[in-house]
Amino acid sequence: MRRNKKKLKLKKFYFHPITVYIFLIFLVIILSAILEAFQMQATYNTISPTTNDLESNLVTVESMLNFDGMKFIFSNAMTNFLSFAPLGMLLLTLFGLSIAKSTGFLDTLCKRCLIKIDKKILTFIVIFLATISSLINDVGYVILIPLAALLFMLNNRNPHLGIIAAFCGVSFGYGVSIFVGSMEVNLIPTTTDAARLIDSAAHISLTSNLFIIIAFSFILSIVGTIVIEKIIAPRLGKYKEKDELSKTEELVVTDVKELEQQKIEKEHYEKRGLKAAIITAVIVILAFIYMIIPDLPYSGMLLDMEEDTYLGQLFGTNSYFQDGFTYMMALLFTLVGIAYGIGAKSIKNDKDIINGCKESFAPIGEILMLIFVVSQFTAIFRETNIGTVIASWCADAVGNIGFTGLPLAIFALILIGLANILVPSPSSKWELFAPVMVPAFMQSNLSAPFAQFILRAGTSITAGITPLLACFAIYIGYLNIYNQDKSKPITIHKSIAYILPYFGIIAATWILLVIGWYLIGLPLGPGVYATI
């Protein structure tokens, strides 16, 4: 006789991402005290803006487990939260999208336009727009993640897939685009100063990486689309909304003629609303374009006229266009949604608009809690200097490894990718790497613009897998908003597991493309090559 053996199964326990980030905060606090006790430190060089000479800087790990550390944690909690960049941008984006959705504009747009597009093409469009969105800092995260989730769901696809596609497109393609943007404006001054340590007459053009970033933006988007459709989509499966899961069959006696008449009337109003929305969109977009054209009557109001170059005026640190882009997109969605609602008669008064926003803002509470905790975690980690110390070690290793040519470029790319996990900001990393890496490249017959592109590659490879990325909270938050089983939240581990295939294949693609570009000798930009 066979004996039935009962196997005891331990019930899996799922830690919510908020809980995990709280654990990480305590871990960082304890780790900072331990590393300070061991006097963990590093020395890195910066370039003096006045003399253009190297200045040595000592950075040490600061403990958070003392009086000053605790004072920082408690006194800066509100500042950390309110100054967290993704917070305001996300709220603005949700305001515009909620109106566009509640009035029916997004539904009609999907039904009449996007539903006719092949699903692979739609995925490519989302990834491509996400990839080139780094033209204007991090707007791709806050605009495209919620928008892609809605578009995929309205097209009867898993919204998680849209979230993953948008997030992966932005993070793993960060720094490539179809034109020069904010990254060039932020990095090139540092690159130029570092290059002048070797050549006092060195000049780095804003278009020095133009050809390669355009080519990579298309290649990475194509590879990303294949990964999403062939690997990630089958793993996620189909998505059903709660009301769809619970609905039952009902027999209803209806008048066929009446239904047909209602359908004709609805389509008429939808067409009228869509026409009004398109006209409004064209007017608003033309108005925005006029605002970034200089030297015309009442134009240029979104430019920073204190900058010398047009790109500096458009993408500089104090650019009104760059700072206000999220608001402009929210305003565009708002006006287009209202125009559609009036034309389609889906809204009758202001109360319909306000009430329509409630549904989209209902789940935002969970994301706000997550953003609060993440903002504390990133601020505390930054204050400890742990990331800066380790990134300084990586930069020092690039200068002392003794490699030349292509091996040096690949070694630098890998170390930048590792440093990026702890220091996600490209400009912050470049201040550490440029004074060492650019001279090492130039002495190895590699150009300074190629060194700058290696920074882009290393940053992009690991940007999507670091919890220290500020917008990682938006990615996890939206995965959980569309999560059907609230008893099993999508954890940090699971959210990273979703994108590991994308990470692995895109990382290999980045490295192979860099090697191929170097070996073939293709230009990085007009008159600029990987070698001097």
Side-chain angles (χ1 to χ4, degrees):
M1 295 179 63
R2 295 180 179 177
R3 296 180 179 178
N4 294 326
K5 296 181 179 179
K6 294 183 178 180
K7 295 182 180 180
L8 294 176
K9 292 185 179 180
L10 294 176
K11 186 178 180 181
K12 288 185 178 181
F13 190 78
Y14 299 87
F15 281 112
H16 194 282
I18 293 175
T19 308
V20 175
Y21 270 108
I22 292 174
F23 288 156
L24 288 174
I25 290 173
F26 284 106
L27 178 62
V28 168
I29 292 172
I30 295 170
L31 183 62
S32 67
I34 296 172
L35 295 179
E36 186 192 52
F38 282 95
Q39 298 182 342
M40 181 177 173
Q41 61 184 22
T43 302
Y44 66 93
N45 293 320
T46 55
I47 303 172
S48 172
T50 55
T51 63
N52 202 41
D53 294 328
L54 288 177
E55 295 180 348
S56 181
N57 299 272
L58 177 67
V59 58
T60 61
V61 172
E62 300 291 337
S63 173
M64 293 289 103
L65 203 59
N66 54 31
F67 177 79
D68 290 335
M70 289 294 112
K71 184 178 178 181
F72 172 84
I73 292 171
F74 287 102
S75 63
N76 289 279
M78 187 57 65
T79 302
N80 295 337
F81 177 58
L82 295 178
S83 62
F84 198 63
L87 175 61
M89 293 193 295
L90 178 63
L91 293 177
L92 278 174
T93 301
L94 284 178
F95 181 77
L97 286 178
S98 63
I99 292 177
K101 185 178 185 301
S102 63
T103 59
F105 168 69
L106 290 179
D107 296 71
T108 302
L109 182 67
C110 288
K111 183 174 67 174
R112 293 189 172 273
C113 302
L114 299 182
I115 199 70
K116 301 175 184 178
I117 300 176
D118 184 87
K119 63 179 183 180
K120 295 183 181 65
I121 296 178
L122 179 60
T123 302
F124 172 80
I125 292 172
V126 169
I127 295 177
F128 181 71
L129 290 176
T131 299
I132 67 173
S133 67
S134 60
L135 188 71
I136 310 174
N137 288 336
D138 298 328
V139 296
Y141 292 110
V142 295
I143 294 177
L144 289 174
I145 286 180
L147 180 59
L150 281 173
L151 292 180
F152 271 62
M153 188 170 67
L154 292 173
N155 279 273
N156 298 316
R157 301 197 72 190
N158 195 327
H160 285 164
L161 194 63
I163 295 168
I164 293 170
F167 177 76
C168 288
V170 180
S171 54
F172 294 117
Y174 196 85
V176 297
S177 188
I178 55 174
F179 195 62
V180 297
S182 58
M183 183 170 281
E184 278 78 15
V185 174
N186 293 331
L187 297 183
I188 281 181
T190 306
T191 308
T192 303
D193 290 341
R196 287 176 179 171
L197 294 172
I198 302 297
D199 180 5
S200 59
H203 172 72
I204 312 298
S205 170
L206 285 169
T207 59
S208 59
N209 285 166
L210 181 61
F211 294 163
I212 194 170
I213 63 175
I214 292 175
F216 275 42
S217 64
F218 285 98
I219 296 171
L220 292 175
S221 299
I222 293 170
V223 174
T225 301
I226 295 171
V227 175
I228 290 290
E229 293 295 339
K230 298 297 184 182
I231 300 176
I232 298 179
R235 293 184 180 184
L236 289 180
K238 294 183 178 181
Y239 180 90
K240 292 185 178 181
E241 296 186 78
K242 289 182 178 179
D243 56 349
E244 185 180 346
L245 292 169
S246 60
K247 66 183 180 182
T248 57
E249 294 184 1
E250 295 181 0
L251 296 176
V252 181
V253 179
T254 57
D255 188 345
V256 177
K257 290 185 178 180
E258 183 180 348
L259 285 177
E260 189 67 25
Q261 182 62 33
Q262 290 176 356
K263 182 180 179 181
I264 293 172
E265 186 177 348
K266 182 180 179 182
E267 288 181 351
H268 169 71
Y269 284 125
E270 285 179 349
K271 288 180 181 179
R272 196 171 72 173
L274 201 57
K275 183 178 179 180
I278 292 173
I279 293 173
T280 303
V282 170
I283 294 173
V284 173
I285 292 172
L286 289 176
F288 288 157
I289 293 174
Y290 190 80
M291 293 178 187
I292 60 174
I293 299 175
D295 302 327
L296 290 178
Y298 303 103
S299 70
M301 63 180 296
L302 294 178
L303 300 176
D304 180 11
M305 302 311 294
E306 295 183 2
E307 293 284 343
D308 297 329
T309 64
Y310 178 71
L311 286 176
Q313 296 171 357
L314 195 62
F315 298 112
T317 306
N318 299 316
S319 165
Y320 302 102
F321 171 75
Q322 186 165 261
D323 293 340
F325 187 81
T326 307
Y327 176 73
M328 289 189 288
M329 290 298 99
L331 187 61
L332 174 64
F333 282 120
T334 299
L335 295 177
V336 167
I338 293 174
Y340 174 85
I342 295 173
K345 293 189 176 182
S346 58
I347 55 174
K348 299 176 182 178
N349 50 50
D350 60 331
K351 292 185 285 296
D352 290 341
I353 299 174
I354 303 302
N355 291 331
C357 295
K358 292 181 180 178
E359 183 180 350
S360 296
F361 275 89
I364 196 64
E366 183 177 346
I367 291 186
L368 290 178
M369 292 173 60
L370 180 60
I371 287 179
F372 176 80
V373 177
V374 172
S375 66
Q376 308 310 312
F377 169 65
T378 55
I380 291 170
F381 183 84
R382 187 168 54 249
E383 186 70 13
T384 64
N385 290 330
I386 295 175
T388 305
V389 170
I390 297 177
S392 300
W393 290 348
C394 293
D396 188 59
V398 172
N400 296 324
I401 190 62
F403 291 165
T404 59
L406 185 60
L408 174 61
I410 299 303
F411 182 72
L413 186 154
I414 293 172
L415 285 187
I416 288 173
L418 294 174
N420 185 67
I421 296 175
L422 301 178
V423 185
S425 169
S427 55
S428 297
K429 279 195 307 295
W430 198 225
E431 289 178 2
L432 301 174
F433 276 86
V436 176
M437 183 171 157
V438 172
F441 269 51
M442 295 178 70
Q443 291 171 343
S444 182
N445 199 38
L446 299 175
S447 66
F450 186 53
Q452 182 176 283
F453 184 76
I454 292 297
L455 172 79
R456 295 174 183 269
T459 300
S460 298
I461 284 175
T462 57
I465 59 170
T466 170
L468 282 161
L469 180 71
C471 293
F472 195 79
I474 297 176
Y475 167 59
I476 301 178
Y478 267 91
L479 286 177
N480 279 289
I481 282 179
Y482 289 94
N483 180 28
Q484 293 292 347
D485 191 353
K486 298 301 181 183
S487 64
K488 296 179 181 179
I490 296 176
T491 61
I492 294 178
H493 174 268
K494 191 173 183 179
S495 63
I496 293 178
Y498 282 152
I499 61 178
L500 279 181
Y502 202 109
F503 159 68
I505 294 174
I506 288 294
T509 303
W510 265 109
I511 295 172
L512 291 174
L513 286 174
V514 168
I515 293 173
W517 205 276
Y518 173 86
L519 293 177
I520 297 173
L522 296 172
L524 305 177
V528 180
Y529 294 84
T531 55
I532 297 176

